[in-house]
Amino acid sequence: MSFADLGKGFLESLFAQRTVAVLLTLYLMSLYEVFLRRSGALARLTHNFIKMLGDYRLTSVVMPAIMGLLPSPGGARFSAPLVAETLENSAVSNQEKAFINFWFRHIWEPILPVYPGTLMAAMLMGITPGHLAQMNWYIPLLMIVVGWVLVFGFSLPSVRFQNPSWKEVILDLGPLLAVIVAGVTIKNDFTVPIAILLACAFIYILHAKSLPKMGTLLSEALKWKMLAIIPAVYYFANILESTGANEAVASSLSALHLPTIVFFIALPFVVSMITGLTQAGVGTSLPLLIGLTTPTNRVAMLNLAFIFAFIGVMASPTHLCLILSRDYFEARAGALYNKLFMAVFVVGLLPVVLALF
């Protein structure tokens, strides 16, 4: 590519509708967090959840899992302050907090068709999203168990339900749930930022007397480092697509003449890990791999490829949610990735065993 093409690609990535929508989403998420924290709603919400569940560890896991129902890029930034507040006085390290926030947010992706990669996989496999969810039902359960053991060991959560202040829960959590419902039901790039803006307005009106001036809040929410990541990640993905690097990687691996199952693992894993996008691994790999299947094993083998596209994203240093989680908790990359790669290895092992036997 020429320098002119590189510059044009950067501008296209910077001003693309998707980029603008995600930038607005992240800034408004940050503003919403400032409103919640400054008004005391964040502390009340975590206190009520701990009271309701009876275990701060369980609360820290449930928070990002709830946020994971909303598949917005960089959505881990939404759950990060909730995880931080819940684990503030615990012995859990920053690396483990970042892992919890990232890992448990994504437990639904292998089964929820609201995720673009999951919907694309079902389409390419020629099955319904419901069928795909039935095939992969065990993945979220496995991720929950693996994530819990890696952070908290084999100590089970002690659930002791007590009635929280339901009025506080509804007022503090209601706007966030409304954002999730809007994001899942209304298919538009700007649905989530508009919904978050309305949630911000609701919280501000509710707590206007206890909040500082709007200028102070707007300035506090502006985090340039976090926002600069967005066009950089999309620019990288666009360059890979423009240069044909994804297809080149796939062709190079295919030329190695390895056992067929290796292609269904390696191709989607590598492409997704490079790009940090499940849909990139699915869209690049599954069309290439269909030719290596038979009518009897097609769905099972392509589903294996989809699972490894997802696993590749979970192991990707370019995954936006991982970058944002690491940045928010100021986690050391080495310790975080060691735990993450262990989790990814264990979760990836079972689908391979099931495919072989």
Side-chain angles (χ1 to χ4, degrees):
M1 296 180 71
S2 67
F3 284 109
D5 289 335
L6 290 170
K8 181 182 177 183
F10 175 74
L11 291 176
E12 288 176 351
S13 299
L14 181 62
F15 294 108
Q17 178 174 304
R18 179 180 60 173
T19 305
V20 174
V22 175
L23 285 171
L24 284 173
T25 298
L26 285 178
Y27 176 71
L28 290 170
M29 280 180 178
S30 181
L31 183 62
Y32 185 68
E33 179 225 332
V34 171
F35 284 178
L36 288 178
R37 178 164 42 80
R38 287 285 203 148
S39 67
L42 195 60
R44 285 195 306 272
L45 187 59
T46 52
H47 171 76
N48 279 312
F49 261 89
I50 292 172
K51 187 176 181 181
M52 189 167 23
L53 298 174
D55 190 323
Y56 71 91
R57 300 171 303 168
L58 186 59
T59 303
S60 71
V61 167
V62 168
M63 293 289 193
I66 292 174
M67 300 300 105
L69 297 170
L70 175 64
S72 60
R77 182 61 180 78
F78 223 150
S79 55
L82 298 173
V83 173
E85 183 75 23
T86 305
L87 299 173
E88 184 178 10
N89 298 317
S90 71
V92 178
S93 67
N94 284 350
Q95 289 69 240
E96 290 171 328
K97 291 174 185 175
F99 174 80
I100 289 170
N101 188 57
F102 171 70
W103 184 259
F104 287 98
R105 169 175 168 73
H106 292 88
I107 60 175
W108 310 116
E109 187 168 353
I111 63 173
L112 273 187
V114 294
Y115 283 87
T118 308
L119 198 59
M120 185 187 298
M123 180 187 68
L124 291 172
M125 292 162 64
I127 61 176
T128 65
H131 185 186
L132 184 65
Q134 290 173 3
M135 294 174 66
N136 296 331
W137 63 269
Y138 66 93
I139 299 290
L141 295 179
L142 183 59
M143 290 182 69
I144 291 169
V145 172
V146 170
W148 181 275
V149 170
L150 282 175
V151 178
F152 302 116
F154 292 94
S155 172
L156 295 176
S158 53
V159 180
R160 300 182 303 278
F161 179 82
Q162 300 178 52
N163 271 322
S165 170
W166 288 109
K167 180 181 178 181
E168 289 182 355
V169 171
I170 292 170
L171 289 176
D172 294 336
L173 189 61
L176 183 56
L177 294 178
V179 171
I180 292 173
V181 171
V184 170
T185 56
I186 304 174
K187 308 299 180 184
N188 186 285
D189 285 340
F190 292 97
T191 298
V192 173
I194 291 172
I196 298 172
L197 181 61
L198 293 175
C200 286
F202 176 82
I203 294 293
Y204 184 79
I205 292 170
L206 195 64
H207 301 288
K209 293 181 179 179
S210 61
L211 288 171
K213 292 181 180 179
M214 181 59 76
T216 302
L217 298 170
L218 293 173
S219 176
E220 189 175 336
L222 186 60
K223 304 182 187 303
W224 289 107
K225 183 180 177 182
M226 177 186 71
L227 296 177
I229 291 168
I230 309 305
V233 169
Y234 286 144
Y235 180 48
F236 179 60
N238 288 341
I239 291 296
L240 289 175
E241 184 179 351
S242 300
T243 58
N246 292 349
E247 288 77 7
V249 170
S251 300
S252 298
L253 289 173
S254 299
L256 296 177
H257 304 295
L258 295 171
T260 303
I261 193 171
V262 174
F263 301 140
F264 289 87
I265 295 171
L267 288 178
F269 179 85
V270 170
V271 175
S272 289
M273 189 173 183
I274 290 172
T275 60
L277 299 169
T278 307
Q279 55 266 40
V282 169
T284 300
S285 303
L286 266 63
L288 294 174
L289 294 169
I290 287 175
L292 301 177
T293 64
T294 65
T296 55
N297 73 359
R298 179 163 299 157
V299 171
M301 294 306 292
L302 292 180
N303 184 55
L304 179 66
F306 162 62
I307 290 172
F308 272 88
F310 166 67
I311 289 173
V313 165
M314 293 301 291
S316 174
T318 64
H319 189 154
L320 190 57
C321 288
L322 180 60
I323 294 170
L324 293 170
S325 296
R326 191 184 67 195
D327 182 61
Y328 184 87
F329 291 102
E330 298 180 350
R332 290 186 292 109
L336 173 58
Y337 287 133
N338 284 342
K339 193 172 291 292
L340 183 59
F341 289 145
M342 281 192 288
V344 164
F345 175 78
V346 174
V347 171
L349 196 58
L350 184 56
V352 174
V353 172
L354 292 175
L356 290 174
F357 300 103

